[in-house]
Amino acid sequence: MSNQPRRLNIRQVEYTPTKDDVIASYASAGDALDAGDYYAALERSRREGAVELEGVALLMCGWIEKGLKILEGISTPSSATRLHQAFGYWCLERDQEALAILEESSALRSLVESKSQRLLLIAGAHTQRAVPTIFPSDLDIRAFVWGPGESAPPISDILEDDWQPDLIIVFDVYGNRIPDGLYDLDAPVIFWTYDFDFHLTRQYDDLARADIISCAFSGEHYLLNNIYAGRVVTFPTHDVYTPRMRDSECSGERDLDIVHTGVSFSSLMRGKAQFLFSLAALDDPELNISIRNGFLEVGEYHALLARAKYVVSFDRLSGGIQTRAMDGLSAGSAVLGPAGRPANSILDGSGAKFCELNLETMSLSAGELFEAPDLHVPDNSSKIKNTVTAIEQIFPASPEREVRFIKRCLFQSILLGSKVKFSETSAPEPSSIIGPHSTDENAGHSRICIQTLRALELFAANPLDADARAKVDAIMTHAGDEYPASIPLNFNIGRYLWAADRKDDAAEMFKRLYSHIDDGLFDPKHDDIRIHFLPLNAEMTPFEEYYNALSKDLSTGDWAASSARAVVAATAQCYIGLYHLQLEDNARGIEALQKSMELWPAHFPAARLLAKAMYADGQSEAETLDALLYAAELFAPYLTELLPMITQLMGKLGDDEGAKMTVKSWCNFITRTRWARPSDHPIPEETWDTVALYLDDFPDQFAQNVNSLRREIS
């Protein structure tokens, strides 16, 4: 056993598939191109020295101008290359150049020459920017945007005058926001999807009927392609969330070294929280870091970007470029992200700075971060002027951004039925198996799961509403009698009973769930568990863990979803453990929590409860310290609550230096972060009092910053 003192070491979350996993899944760049995975094709083409395919891949990744320049240097391009080259010209409104290289019988030729393509666009409030503000004159577009809670009318009410679309594009809306009758139209349906894994159960039925699914990341493509029957394509430089800022809009000093805004420290996105905490804890008083946990108004967001040297962009999935990276690069900032995930090689030759950081293999010192040859900070006045043209080409502003995407969808509809290929061997075919067919029993179970879910959502929105509780109770009685071994019903109703303060009933429900975890009725592609009964900082269901496990299960053909079941089982044991702890039965509580950790070692809510229980129970100081540190290492924001216990035990074990280092890391994190709603991350007085014991050991300015923040929050 090591005699080295136990120290805090934030564990970064490893996501799969990695970029290398995806790239290795194709036999060649041509295979990747035919499969529609354009970033993987770009990487493979460069490794293979296939310049022609590199030009095609770069064009399809979104840097059309550079891709065309490469292709114009190819003396005898293949017919597949000419088709894609013509598409690039058409996107840039260079129609005559497109027509000059297209065969007379080409479907793309008909598309370029046509002035009457009819498109139906459907978006939600969060994707309404996908609809062009100015419609191109050569496209007949009808667009509809449904807000939150709205249901789409039937397609017969939307399409009047016998108008029939040639193509339907749906921007990340599903379920009741898809008009009845849409799939009966004689037109391909293309979905642009975000975060499909988090929303898999609510998107499944619609994506299973899509002709084409368009996504941003190669990692998404890898999973989607093995779950759904339609063609899956990537577009790693496209997004519709924010209006583009331009470098020319940025003036003044870049006085912030590292900036992040949005969802920074949510338990829903544990990997991002781990990465950002590690950055915030960098031990350098001269380093100016601003992390804003919460979304800003567009003007305030742009003003912050204009001051940033580095904008942090965190990618859960590999092989794409995240929205904040696009925004940061467009504003003249450099981008900092986790190593091995972003599709930053698309930007090669642009002059843009996209820096990857591996926090597992480097110490948290600003010197190492900013003195590394490939990670240097621009001067305060630097705007990276030489990148402006390239960045505007790669990330065009509206309405060009939206029009290019529409043309891309039209082109993909041509490729859907095309026999023109880059590879002599067949590209990986989309999955033709979309899970087991539903039996009558499963159909009835799915219906009652949906009814229960809707009733529970009403309760979650208004827990004091007696009518909502009565409705849930009525459904719960019927559901329990009809499907006593149901995984989703037992799990969702158990959490409802817990939130309704019916803890005895909840514990029985979780025990029943656990007894049927292997053989219980469960349709993982439809049965949803994402209901938030508790505040996120008290949530005991690790949703990211569940949906990561679920998407991997289904993409590998495990339709029983064994890993997803394990997360549910671990969560049931977590609730059972807390139930016993609240009854002051520490032994049984700790036993259940240990079982939870055995079932899913990354179950961070269980790790937190187990560590606190061991501390309260007076168990071995060394083992308890290890448990406390492990909980904070799994989800770093827990350190705010656990810091007093950790420092006390380190002191008892003679590791005063470790206690001091841990306090300093927390102080750096907390003084560099601001919450839009401070109640999302409450700081106990005991934590402040613990920190106060160490402030005399730190530089005066550091201590002043901590005390100032304490007064501000108080």
Side-chain angles (χ1 to χ4, degrees), residues 573-594:
Q573 287 294 335
C574 183
Y575 275 100
I576 292 168
L578 181 56
Y579 172 73
H580 289 304
L581 292 177
Q582 291 181 346
L583 293 177
E584 299 184 357
D585 187 347
N586 284 6
R588 292 178 71 185
I590 289 172
E591 181 183 5
L593 291 167
Q594 288 173 332

Side-chain angles (χ1 to χ4, degrees), residues 336-359:
L336 183 64
R341 295 184 198 158
N344 53 319
S345 59
I346 294 172
L347 304 170
D348 287 356
S350 70
K353 299 184 184 298
F354 204 126
C355 305
E356 299 184 58
L357 179 63
N358 189 336
L359 289 170

Side-chain angles (χ1 to χ4, degrees), residues 136 428 432 665:
S432 59
S665 292

Side-chain angles (χ1 to χ4, degrees), residues 6 135 137 248 279 601:
R6 179 75 160 86
F135 291 166
S137 59
S248 57
L279 287 176

Side-chain angles (χ1 to χ4, degrees), residues 113-193:
E113 292 177 331
S114 171
K115 302 298 179 184
S116 59
Q117 286 292 314
R118 293 163 298 187
L119 289 92
L120 173 61
L121 311 185
I122 298 174
H126 67 301
T127 54
Q128 60 185 329
R129 285 195 177 94
V131 178
T133 53
I134 302 173
F135 291 166
S137 59
D138 58 343
L139 298 175
D140 181 4
I141 296 176
R142 299 197 181 182
F144 301 90
V145 177
W146 315 122
E150 283 190 271
S151 294
I155 199 70
S156 57
D157 292 353
I158 295 174
L159 302 183
E160 302 171 353
D161 307 324
D162 295 324
W163 187 90
Q164 293 292 312
D166 297 304
L167 181 66
I168 302 163
I169 307 175
V170 183
F171 295 97
D172 203 44
V173 294
Y174 310 90
N176 63 357
R177 289 193 282 180
I178 299 297
D180 286 342
L182 181 95
Y183 298 113
D184 296 328
L185 297 173
D186 186 20
V189 179
I190 299 181
F191 276 85
W192 169 259
T193 184

